[in-house]
Amino acid sequence: MRMLHLGLRVSEIERSLAFYRALGYAVVGRVPDTAFGSLTMLRLPDDPFVSLELVHDPARPVGDTGAVNHLVVQVDDLDAVIADLAGKGVAAEPPAEPGPGMRTSWITDPDGYRIELVQWPPGHPAGMTPADFA
């Protein structure tokens, strides 16, 4: 069993697509006219699978993003990603180092969802493991 992706409701699909494309996501496919609205499936360049689904229904704009605390995207080079995003008009908060060798920064999507960018220290596994809490 594994988690496949998160469906995130967005108010304006083209505005959101521009933001998520700037972050590096690519459109894998679309499912129009579902009970939820139109669905746009996205994946990051190094992921073989969809990890984010943008859900859009013009009759149901995003009113409150409070139910989603934040999303997390792993990056290889935080400084390069921040510079690339700045060149695309996406502002990132200054990097912080919350743990030895771990660097993070925050960006906010057009609807107000917060996204944490994480650069693991060299040799760290691709995700969080029990060792991160030992």
Side-chain angles (χ1 to χ4, degrees), residues 2-3 6 9-10 18 24 28-29 45 51 75 96 119 124 127:
R2 66 181 297 208
M3 183 169 167
L6 172 71
R9 184 165 296 286
V10 298
V28 173
S51 60
V75 301
Q119 178 183 319
H124 191 282

Side-chain angles (χ1 to χ4, degrees), residues 33-115:
D33 304 322
T34 74
F36 303 116
S38 68
L39 311 178
T40 303
M41 307 300 182
L42 306 176
R43 73 172 182 84
L44 287 165
D46 295 332
D47 284 342
F49 306 112
V50 168
S51 60
L52 185 60
E53 172 186 295
L54 300 182
V55 180
H56 177 250
D57 179 349
R60 296 172 60 195
V62 175
D64 178 18
T65 60
V68 175
N69 187 277
H70 67 285
L71 308 174
V72 182
V73 173
Q74 177 185 330
V75 301
D76 292 329
D77 182 337
L78 186 62
D79 294 322
V81 169
I82 289 171
D84 183 60
L85 288 169
K88 296 173 181 172
V90 177
E93 293 180 10
E97 191 168 313
M102 177 183 176
R103 299 182 68 227
T104 65
S105 178
W106 292 86
I107 58 177
T108 303
D109 93 342
D111 284 298
Y113 296 110
R114 302 267 296 150
I115 300 166

